[in-house]
Amino acid sequence: MNKSDLKRNYFMLDGRFARKGYDWWWHNFTAVNEKSGEERAFFIEYFTCNPALANQKKDEMPLLGQAPENKEKGIKPSYLMVKCGCWGEEACQLHRFFAWKDVKVGHNSDGFYISAADCSASEKSISGSVQLSRQDVEKHPEWMCDAGSMSWDIKIEKKIAFNVGYGACDLFRKLKAFEMFWHAEGMKSLYSGKITVNGESYIIKPECSYGYADKNWGGDFTSPWVWLSSCDLVSRISGKCLENSVFDIGGGRPKAFGIAMNRKLLSDFFYEGKSYEFNFSKFWTLCRTKFDCKESDDKIIWYVRQETVKAVMETSVECDKKDMLLINYEAPDGAKRHNRLWNGGNGRGIVKLYKKSGFAGHKLDLIDEIEAGHIGCEWGEYC
């Protein structure tokens, strides 16, 4: 549902999650090349891991779990990682690591904040830079990234939220009930500012930024891992752009109190001011989900069908592999289990939204059939 809750965007790594946990703030958006006018989709993320494992010495360096000496000694990761990059031709991901002694994180009346050196994030802005030479990246495979440079100074206006409800409520957060929590404070967000990648400058305009902002936190990742979201939506029935609409789908195989559930997804289609939510944690809605994600030679393809007692949503999406990348994370225990986690921002697809009517809801009335572009998308399983 569209319900803002800034507390869910606070830093969550306390209790057992402080020693085995991650917390990240993710952003993706589209910008336009200052010279050519060409569009390009970008992502920026502030990823934190295991703060309680930092030794806080003045000479402390970030602890990287993929470093051979740390693997040998069983040392777990501990750092802030600033991840950034772009999709499309020559897609790339860049990583910059900070030791915890150099990080400031907390919240105030405006919401969360995190900063280290010239990198910072809050509810209303993100800024930073990453610069990596090819020689250094080849020398340090534990960085899990490409060579290149990127800098940004961006304002954010979050317009529509996806609040998953009691599944991430204060009590369940305190109990660390789920292995992976999710909150999308800005599933539709307006971004503005400037970004420079490998010397090319791009301008971000709110009206065509197709922006998205969310966060995940917990003790481990999910497998399978599914994510689809877009606010670039056009009705096939009316031909109009849906200016007050966005959909967001995410999940895989959640764990509650250490017990793995069947494959489940959470989703919300905020359609022109009305929320159609498909949330397995709200059992009284009798939410049911079927999804199939597959990899062909040149595409990743998603099909999701969800229904409740009131509505049905069918989503078909595809994204060309040449426009995607295999995104890299290590888990808080130091293992890198997701080695084929496809990630993109140029997906395209069709969403059909129905309302149920008639006896026991057996009749489906089409609300709209929507073309979606600039779809943020993700798919992967442990391998």
Side-chain angles (χ1 to χ4, degrees):
M1 69 182 81
N2 180 23
K3 182 180 179 182
S4 172
D5 187 345
L6 298 187
K7 289 185 177 180
R8 298 187 184 209
N9 261 12
Y10 287 1
F11 182 61
M12 298 292 184
L13 298 188
D14 58 8
R16 67 179 177 88
F17 283 172
R19 300 188 64 83
K20 184 179 178 291
Y22 67 91
D23 192 357
W24 81 56
W25 296 266
W26 168 273
H27 305 266
N28 64 267
F29 52 87
T30 296
V32 177
N33 188 291
E34 199 168 28
K35 293 180 180 178
S36 69
E38 176 191 7
E39 274 192 349
R40 187 145 208 185
F42 294 88
F43 61 90
I44 298 169
E45 181 183 54
Y46 300 76
F47 178 101
T48 62
C49 187
N50 294 345
L53 301 186
N55 59 30
Q56 302 299 330
K57 293 180 181 178
K58 290 185 178 180
D59 62 347
E60 177 201 12
M61 299 292 289
L63 299 175
L64 308 183
Q66 299 308 296
E69 62 274 20
N70 290 340
K71 279 187 172 183
E72 185 178 339
K73 297 176 182 178
I75 294 175
K76 298 176 183 178
S78 179
Y79 49 70
L80 160 66
M81 176 179 70
V82 176
K83 175 193 283 286
C84 62
C86 54
W87 296 297
E89 299 290 344
E90 300 180 359
C92 69
Q93 61 182 316
L94 311 176
H95 293 166
R96 182 179 178 184
F97 296 91
F98 295 94
W100 275 104
K101 70 178 181 65
D102 299 319
V103 178
K104 295 180 180 178
V105 62
H107 59 268
N108 53 33
S109 59
D110 294 324
F112 87 96
Y113 62 83
I114 187 167
S115 65
D118 65 334
C119 297
S120 66
S122 67
E123 289 290 348
K124 297 180 180 179
S125 66
I126 52 175
S127 61
S129 67
V130 179
Q131 185 166 351
L132 300 162
S133 71
R134 188 168 302 280
Q135 292 82 359
D136 282 344
V137 167
E138 290 174 352
K139 185 179 176 181
H140 294 282
E142 69 271 20
W143 293 353
M144 306 178 293
C145 70
D146 305 308
S149 66
M150 188 165 151
S151 62
W152 60 96
D153 188 7
I154 300 169
K155 301 298 182 185
I156 311 164
E157 184 181 356
K158 298 178 180 178
K159 304 295 288 185
I160 301 173
F162 178 23
N163 185 318
V164 302
Y166 78 89
C169 70
D170 184 61
L171 175 61
F172 280 9
R173 296 199 303 268
K174 288 179 180 177
L175 293 174
K176 310 291 189 287
F178 287 92
E179 196 74 6
M180 189 173 189
F181 289 87
W182 184 32
H183 177 64
E185 182 65 26
M187 73 167 169
K188 177 170 180 151
S189 295
L190 304 181
Y191 287 75
S192 60
K194 188 172 182 178
I195 188 165
T196 302
V197 57
N198 298 327
E200 291 285 331
S201 294
Y202 291 78
I203 302 300
I204 311 159
K205 300 177 181 179
E207 64 274 14
C208 55
S209 60
Y210 309 114
Y212 176 87
D214 76 356
K215 85 186 300 270
N216 285 95
W217 70 96
D220 201 354
F221 309 131
T222 187
S223 179
W225 187 327
V226 178
W227 171 60
L228 298 165
S229 183
S230 174
C231 59
D232 176 17
L233 305 173
V234 178
S235 169
R236 281 188 163 181
I237 293 177
S238 69
K240 295 181 179 179
C241 293
L242 304 177
E243 302 287 351
N244 190 29
S245 298
V246 58
F247 74 86
D248 201 5
I249 301 170
R253 195 174 185 216
K255 287 184 179 180
F257 298 103
I259 301 172
M261 304 180 187
N262 291 329
R263 290 155 57 104
K264 295 182 182 295
L265 301 178
L266 297 164
S267 73
D268 184 39
F269 196 139
F270 189 81
Y271 177 82
E272 296 300 271
K274 183 175 180 179
S275 176
Y276 294 86
E277 187 179 9
F278 303 87
N279 188 333
F280 69 85
S281 70
K282 297 181 178 181
F283 58 88
W284 57 90
T285 67
L286 303 180
C287 180
R288 290 177 287 171
T289 297
K290 293 180 181 179
F291 68 89
D292 180 40
C293 304
K294 58 187 178 182
E295 180 179 343
S296 71
D297 290 341
D298 59 351
K299 299 179 190 295
I300 305 296
I301 301 164
W302 298 257
Y303 173 76
V304 181
R305 187 183 192 278
Q306 294 183 280
E307 67 175 291
T308 63
V309 294
K310 294 183 178 180
V312 173
M313 178 177 167
E314 287 187 344
T315 307
S316 300
V317 172
E318 62 180 40
C319 193
D320 296 331
K321 285 182 177 179
K322 66 180 179 63
D323 290 335
M324 305 179 76
L325 53 80
L326 292 170
I327 201 160
N328 291 322
Y329 298 101
E330 58 183 358
D333 65 1
K336 188 175 185 297
R337 300 182 183 88
H338 269 298
N339 295 299
R340 288 191 68 79
L341 183 55
W342 287 97
N343 174 276
N346 297 306
R348 57 200 177 275
I350 301 296
V351 183
K352 295 179 182 179
L353 186 63
Y354 303 87
K355 64 180 178 181
K356 289 184 174 181
S357 64
F359 178 74
H362 288 307
K363 183 181 177 184
L364 296 182
D365 301 314
L366 182 66
I367 297 171
D368 207 345
E369 182 174 344
I370 301 109
E371 292 185 6
H374 297 90
I375 299 175
C377 47
E378 208 157 29
W379 162 250
E381 291 187 277
Y382 288 155
C383 62

